[in-house]
Amino acid sequence: MKLLRWGPTGHEKPGVLGSDGQRRDLSMLLSDIGPAQLSPRTLAALALLDVDKLPLVPLSERYGTPFGGTGKIVCVGLNYADHAAEAGLALPPEPVLFLKPSSAICGPYDDVIIPRGSRKTDWEIELGVVIGSTARDVTEKQALAHVAGYTIVNDISEREFQLERSGQWDKGKGCDTFAPIGPWLVTADEIADPQDLTLWLEVNGQRVQNSSTRQLAFGIAALVSYISRFMTLQPGDVISTGTPPGVGLGQKPEPWYLKVGDRMSLGIQGLGLQEQRCVAASDPLMPHV
């Protein structure tokens, strides 16, 4: 099942993708798709619906994030060995964790703001793991039972803010619109192996990232278990599992970064596509969930 949300920013309605690839309206059955609707019980009930009989969502309606109410985005740094190498860093012995604020979240086709004073805004396609039930200090064997599904995250990063302005990474990771999520939440039963998915990203039509989640250094179950030792994972939380090589910081012969007017396209096998246009901080846009 591919869950989604649609409509104006701040007024999204729940939906689901039909077998014909068209969006269907769930708003007569659900008030929203959020933490309460991501429970195994609710997802099992939704799976029984004949979604193709639901009303169509007008094609003109905006795609929002596929679920709301995210409390935190837990990001994993340097989780692909070849990405660590392009950054000139060793693969860490344990997962590197940092947080992205929920205020960074935007829809999969919303504009991305280049922050005021930015010179090094960068792209990062990542597999997002969406939590469906509370996970607190769980084992790897238990971990996947707490996963509602999977989605695409573009972990936008401002490298100067992140690496050259002292302190933690968060200041380069948390700007508004730095976490496009969606277009769908694909429930876990539809993804046979989340660690065997191709993923790619293009900037202005040039493919810069092209890899597979087979290259993850720390797998999904290991990450859910590990993170749950240090913080409680709650329904609606997202784990952004790391990016493969090909980010702007690692481009050869020298790094290059996003600028106003650039367009990103990105996708993960089975999880759909995203597209974003880069705009100046003063430009109008629809940034939030």
Side-chain angles (χ1 to χ4, degrees), residues 12-216:
E12 290 85 355
K13 296 181 180 181
V16 63
L17 202 71
S19 63
D20 56 1
Q22 298 191 77
R23 293 179 292 174
R24 301 282 174 164
D25 183 6
L26 276 174
S27 62
M28 71 292 296
L29 300 174
L30 298 176
S31 59
D32 199 358
I33 298 172
Q37 290 77 32
L38 297 179
S39 69
R41 181 177 179 179
T42 300
L43 293 181
L46 290 173
L48 299 176
L49 293 174
D50 184 352
V51 298
D52 291 336
K53 293 183 177 179
L54 296 172
L56 287 169
V57 173
L59 293 175
S60 59
E61 291 286 354
R62 165 185 172 268
Y63 259 102
T65 57
F67 50 94
T70 296
K72 55 185 174 291
I73 306 171
V74 186
C75 299
V76 184
L78 305 174
N79 200 22
Y80 288 74
D82 39 9
H83 173 55
E86 78 172 351
L89 299 169
L91 193 66
E94 296 185 29
V96 173
L97 304 180
F98 61 92
L99 295 177
K100 237 175 153 71
S102 59
S103 56
I105 295 173
C106 67
Y109 302 103
D110 289 346
D111 292 341
V112 165
I113 299 173
I114 303 292
R116 181 172 57 85
S118 168
R119 297 185 302 125
K120 298 181 180 181
T121 297
D122 204 347
W123 57 85
E124 293 189 9
I125 185 169
E126 306 199 2
L127 173 66
V129 179
V130 184
I131 300 300
S133 59
T134 301
R136 182 182 298 111
D137 198 13
V138 300
T139 66
E140 287 192 31
K141 186 175 181 179
Q142 298 166 327
L144 295 185
H146 296 277
V147 173
Y150 302 93
T151 192
I152 302 172
V153 178
N154 192 354
D155 175 21
I156 309 292
S157 309
E158 213 299 342
R159 301 301 187 187
E160 182 182 9
F161 299 176
Q162 175 190 359
L163 302 172
E164 302 173 36
R165 298 283 293 272
S166 302
Q168 301 294 322
W169 286 4
D170 300 59
K171 68 179 71 173
K173 296 284 190 172
C175 301
D176 287 356
T177 72
F178 270 26
I181 294 178
W184 315 315
L185 186 162
V186 181
T187 51
D189 59 292
E190 286 203 6
I191 303 299
D193 185 356
Q195 291 174 215
D196 190 17
L197 304 175
T198 57
L199 66 170
W200 56 271
L201 184 144
E202 296 178 350
V203 178
N204 299 329
Q206 177 181 341
R207 184 150 302 193
V208 288
Q209 292 186 281
N210 194 22
S211 188
S212 168
T213 57
R214 291 192 303 273
Q215 305 301 318
L216 285 168

